[in-house]
Amino acid sequence: MSGTSGSLGAARVASLLARVAERRPRVHCLTNTVAQNVTANMLLAFGAIPSMASHPEEVAAVAAGAGAILINLGTISSEGERAIPKLLDVARERGLALVLDPVFVELSPLRMRLAEEVLRLPGVTVRGNAAEMAALDAAMAQAQDVLRVTTGKVDRIERAGSTYLVDHGHALMTKVTGLGCASSALVAACRAVEPDPALAAAAALTAYGIAGEIAAERAAGPGSFAMHLVDALAGLDEAALAARMG
């Protein structure tokens, strides 16, 4: 698949990726246990630094020096539930970019309550699939300056005055646990160095999708695909982006 809608070109994406590599922002991830390893590896390949402290007694101190925060509800625990308000306080006090990945929010009242709590903070980026985003529609409608990032065959990035459609990726990206969650962390990494949240999300998903296309051409199946995806993401440059963005 190929194509990106909006004023996004290969040079612009490459410039944003170069800023990530140069500044090496730390993304603090309160994320699910299934995705921690792959998320950390993708952030490192992207040029960012992962941190994943979750204990309520230290999470604020660790997150305070980060460039962005990711809250992923995938395997939420009682410890994670108590950590979320502390992360919201850090984001509010320090003006940090915040990305919410509302995994299976439609299945659990607890997840819905926590997502609504996060959305009380202005300027949140929400990245989810169609079912998750539909479940959160009413809450997002009440939120201030929220960026909606709906991922699927075509990713749709929507904010007042900005819309991007990103048509990159490969079906193998749905066959490896945690790759969707990792994409939220990459959005956070770009957001840490880019004040326009829509541009940050579009660039991150474009780069990730193109890396997926490259990896699929080298892989024999889902297992080797995950390995090649890390390599492809680490090796992305403007020429590779331009070849697939048209």
Side-chain angles (χ1 to χ4, degrees):
M1 297 183 287
S2 62
T4 307
S5 177
S7 56
L8 194 68
R12 203 173 185 194
V13 175
S15 175
L16 208 164
L17 299 188
R19 273 186 278 153
V20 173
E22 177 184 357
R23 299 185 194 178
R24 293 184 59 77
R26 180 157 60 84
V27 178
H28 189 76
C29 307
L30 182 69
T31 192
N32 73 72
T33 54
V34 175
Q36 284 179 337
N37 185 67
V38 67
T39 296
N41 285 336
M42 293 302 170
L43 281 170
L44 290 168
F46 210 52
I49 299 171
S51 61
M52 298 197 178
S54 61
H55 195 290
E57 296 305 316
E58 71 162 1
V59 68
V62 177
I69 293 172
L70 167 66
I71 295 176
N72 176 303
L73 302 179
T75 53
I76 195 68
S77 63
S78 57
E79 186 176 82
E81 180 183 2
R82 290 186 290 124
I84 286 175
K86 296 178 183 291
L87 289 174
L88 297 181
D89 287 343
V90 171
R92 185 182 299 107
E93 292 165 5
R94 295 183 174 264
L96 299 182
L98 180 63
V99 176
L100 170 66
D101 191 333
V103 179
F104 286 140
V105 69
E106 72 277 18
L107 301 184
S108 159
L110 171 63
R111 292 169 193 244
M112 180 61 71
R113 177 175 63 77
L114 293 174
E116 290 172 345
E117 183 176 344
V118 173
L119 285 167
R120 294 192 188 103
L121 197 72
V124 176
T125 293
V126 184
R127 190 222 64 89
N129 62 33
E132 293 158 354
M133 298 300 274
L136 273 182
D137 187 62
M140 289 190 292
Q142 298 298 317
Q144 180 183 341
D145 202 24
V146 67
L147 175 70
R148 301 180 183 218
V149 181
T150 308
T151 52
K153 187 175 182 180
V154 177
D155 302 328
R156 188 173 185 89
I157 299 150
E158 301 170 285
R159 183 175 179 241
S162 298
T163 300
Y164 292 96
L165 300 178
V166 177
D167 183 14
H168 288 287
H170 192 274
L172 281 172
M173 298 180 87
T174 66
K175 303 298 182 182
V176 180
T177 298
L179 292 188
C181 297
S183 73
S184 296
L186 301 186
V187 169
C190 284
R191 183 67 180 88
V193 303
E194 171 52 53
D196 180 345
L199 173 59
L205 294 178
T206 298
Y208 197 44
I210 288 174
E213 294 167 10
I214 295 169
E217 294 170 358
R218 302 171 179 171
S224 59
F225 174 77
M227 173 188 70
H228 286 301
L229 180 57
V230 175
D231 289 346
L233 192 61
L236 273 186
D237 57 19
E238 185 174 343
L241 292 166
R244 293 171 187 265
M245 291 179 73

